[in-house]
Amino acid sequence: MVASSGTSLASGTRVSLRYVREQTRNTTPAALSAAVDSVEAEATSSVSGSGHSEFKRASGSFITDGFIVGQTVRSAGFTNAANNGDFVVTNVAATILTVRDASDDIVDEAGDAGNTVRIMLKTLRATGRNINLEKNVLESQEVDPDGMETDNRHGFNRVVGSPGFQLSRADYDDFIQFTFGRDWENGFAMTGSPNLASNHTNKTFTRSAGSFITDGFRVGDIVDVTGFSGGDVGMNSRYRVTAVTATVMTVLDPSSLMTTVTAASGRQITLPGKRIDLGTEMQTFLIERLFSDVTQHQLFNGCAVDQFSLNVEPESIINGTFNILGMSAAAMSASPVTSVAALAATSNSPFAAFDGQIFEGGAATAVATSVSFSLARNRSLNPVVGSKTSPDVFEGTARISGTLSAFFENATLFNKFVNETESTLFFRFDDSGDATQFMNIVFPRVKYNGGSMDPPQEGPVPLEMPFVALKKTGLAVPGGTTRSSNITIQVTNAL
């Protein structure tokens, strides 16, 4: 019998994951562990205009210290209380750090010893925390007369893991961005103040000048309409775009809110929140796993998301995983990467299937029973001579595959597989705590590669439709340019 020594044992309920984006691959940002001192605050930004402010330093470099757009930073020590707080970085130069300051809270204050800015870790809400260091093992082939193995070496190192999650608004925007390889974009609206008319019969909004396409609107977007008044005030609502030309936007109107109204000024169409497409920028981050009850910390650097998977099932919380590849891992340490507590995650309730809708071919479907998909980036780590770690995380081909399950209703969906007809898939998930908040996932071009049915003895007939999401070219971007993507996500929370 082994007696307890009284040593504390780690408990899974006391394990957490904290992360921050890296400015330099596989490198812990210097300003994470040691704040930048003697910083000046300036209310008017020369870089990004209104809604932004700056922190300035007389020497050193914000770039060298690891600051990068999208990080959350904390300022402290300023005499003016408004200058102390948490801000999101919007631009980085050597001696100027620009942050989002939408309410213009920051006021001018000279630099002084004790005025600091530092990079903050964020807490990752997770249902699984299985991120670990793996090593190849090299076996000695030496022939020993005693018949025993004489040596064993550790070879190539890599970090792998697949933290699970229950999808909630705002908590996974960073990891979606890391997966997509592009920053979120916002500020989509009609430009030029054109007159706007509506048509109840055709479910259209028509503008007198300018272009919806140039302004960045697309099929699948969810838009807000405002500015209608009098007997038409009910039209001020939220609609899904089903078709768009330069001057005409066609929408779904399931509640029959639209009326026919002649063109007038003062009306606006905007895209609430922010939107992201698939990109090609490799965005890496570090993760620290904290075992708080035994005061041990494990740091993983050079991490990238290799796969993002999502499952939507009836009577279930929407869940998924982020598969992670990382370049290196440190030994367990009693010292954390930073002495400052990580930023807490939100308390937003997770999305559930009964708070969502599935649109197939542009129309809402009431017979879908589940949908699942995986976005695989096929990123890789590769060994080289002279190092036990990969020199980088290498990009692969982005592939999206999934399965739509539905009750067999008519030939329409099934025949898209038989006839190899391309379609679209849109998913909307609503926040149970705030009906105005949602996540919108758009596959602008899908092809079904199967249509299997196994009719039961009784009850509805299930139809399984595996699909792939393909690249869609010519997707509108504000300013009149276009890009390609096989997936777009829109969320209502701000940048």
Side-chain angles (χ1 to χ4, degrees):
M1 179 177 179
V2 179
S4 170
S5 63
T7 302
S8 297
L9 299 175
S11 169
T13 61
R14 299 294 183 267
V15 181
S16 60
L17 298 176
R18 303 104 62 81
Y19 71 94
V20 71
R21 186 177 170 188
E22 299 171 334
Q23 195 269 347
T24 303
R25 191 94 76 242
N26 201 32
T27 301
T28 301
L32 183 63
S33 53
V36 176
D37 200 1
S38 304
V39 179
E40 168 192 350
E42 186 171 304
T44 303
S45 169
S46 60
V47 177
S48 304
S50 62
H52 298 77
S53 295
E54 296 172 341
F55 295 108
K56 296 184 177 181
R57 59 195 297 176
S59 60
S61 170
F62 286 117
I63 298 173
T64 302
D65 285 338
F67 291 87
I68 192 169
V69 172
Q71 289 172 340
T72 297
V73 299
R74 176 169 293 174
S75 57
F78 288 93
T79 301
N80 294 285
N83 294 341
N84 300 318
D86 297 335
F87 302 92
V88 176
V89 177
T90 60
N91 196 76
V92 184
T95 59
I96 301 175
L97 186 72
T98 308
V99 297
R100 185 169 293 106
D101 183 20
S103 301
D104 294 325
D105 294 322
I106 292 175
V107 297
D108 291 348
E109 184 173 342
D112 194 8
N115 296 352
T116 62
V117 177
R118 71 183 313 140
I119 299 170
M120 297 295 293
L121 289 174
K122 295 182 179 180
T123 300
L124 178 64
R125 295 175 70 174
T127 59
R129 293 145 295 178
N130 61 329
I131 179 168
N132 295 287
L133 171 65
E134 291 185 352
K135 298 182 179 183
N136 290 348
V137 177
L138 310 180
E139 299 283 354
S140 172
Q141 300 301 311
E142 180 181 352
V143 179
D144 185 272
D146 292 331
M148 291 175 281
E149 187 172 4
T150 60
D151 206 349
N152 175 293
R153 297 291 304 277
H154 289 183
F156 184 65
N157 288 210
R158 58 187 169 273
V159 174
V160 297
S162 53
F165 63 89
Q166 293 181 325
L167 187 66
S168 55
R169 184 175 54 84
D171 290 301
Y172 304 100
D173 292 355
D174 288 338
F175 271 69
I176 291 172
Q177 177 176 318
F178 299 154
T179 308
F180 277 46
R182 188 187 298 277
D183 294 342
W184 291 90
E185 298 167 309
N186 73 339
F188 301 87
M190 286 198 312
T191 58
S193 302
N195 293 340
L196 191 67
S198 63
N199 185 290
H200 164 73
T201 303
N202 299 328
K203 308 301 181 187
T204 57
F205 293 100
T206 301
R207 59 192 294 169
S208 60
S211 170
F212 287 119
I213 295 174
T214 300
D215 289 339
F217 293 101
R218 310 173 183 169
V219 172
D221 283 345
I222 296 175
V223 298
D224 283 341
V225 175
T226 57
F228 286 87
S229 59
D232 306 306
V233 70
M235 287 178 51
N236 296 326
S237 188
R238 190 161 278 174
Y239 303 87
R240 183 180 288 276
V241 179
T242 59
V244 61
T245 66
T247 58
V248 180
M249 176 184 291
T250 307
V251 300
L252 289 175
D253 180 26
S255 300
S256 297
L257 300 174
M258 295 184 68
T259 58
T260 298
V261 184
T262 57
S265 63
R267 298 164 183 167
Q268 179 62 271
I269 298 178
T270 58
L271 186 139
K274 57 190 178 185
R275 193 175 71 186
I276 190 170
D277 301 312
L278 211 65
T280 57
E281 179 189 4
M282 177 65 70
Q283 299 188 2
T284 62
F285 52 97
L286 67 83
I287 293 182
E288 184 179 48
R289 182 164 56 181
L290 165 62
F291 300 84
S292 59
D293 48 1
V294 294
T295 321
Q296 290 294 313
H297 309 80
Q298 189 175 20
L299 186 64
F300 306 94
N301 283 96
C303 296
V305 179
D306 185 43
Q307 183 168 292
F308 165 45
S309 300
L310 206 63
N311 302 299
V312 183
E313 301 282 349
E315 292 295 307
S316 297
I317 289 173
I318 296 170
N319 63 85
T321 57
F322 290 106
N323 288 2
I324 292 173
L325 288 177
M327 297 171 64
S328 65
M332 287 285 181
S333 173
S335 301
V337 67
T338 177
S339 59
V340 179
L343 297 169
T346 76
S347 57
N348 294 334
S349 296
F351 295 116
F354 48 77
D355 293 319
Q357 288 180 299
I358 297 177
F359 295 78
E360 202 289 324
T365 173
V367 298
T369 57
S370 69
V371 65
S372 62
F373 72 87
S374 293
L375 164 56
R377 294 307 309 252
N378 291 299
R379 291 164 172 161
S380 62
L381 302 169
N382 295 276
V384 294
V385 174
S387 175
K388 289 186 177 181
T389 61
S390 176
D392 207 340
V393 183
F394 297 95
E395 195 64 273
T397 300
R399 186 175 190 274
I400 298 175
S401 59
T403 300
L404 173 65
S405 300
F407 292 140
F408 182 56
E409 182 180 24
N410 54 47
T412 302
L413 181 58
F414 181 78
N415 282 349
K416 289 183 179 181
F417 160 59
V418 175
N419 299 322
E420 202 174 342
T421 303
E422 292 186 2
S423 189
T424 60
L425 276 175
F426 312 148
F427 315 126
R428 171 175 171 156
F429 309 132
D430 294 324
D431 190 327
S432 63
D434 185 343
T436 67
Q437 306 294 328
F438 65 84
M439 173 178 284
N440 177 36
I441 302 177
V442 173
F443 296 127
R445 183 178 168 221
V446 300
K447 181 174 286 189
Y448 295 104
N449 290 329
S452 62
M453 288 182 280
D454 183 11
Q457 290 184 339
E458 56 186 34
V461 175
L463 172 63
E464 300 288 324
M465 301 282 290
F467 66 86
V468 294
L470 303 173
K471 181 177 77 171
K472 177 73 172 180
T473 60
L475 296 174
V477 178
T481 59
T482 63
R483 67 167 62 114
S484 300
S485 187
N486 53 7
I487 181 174
T488 296
I489 295 181
Q490 175 190 357
V491 291
T492 44
N493 45 284
L495 285 172

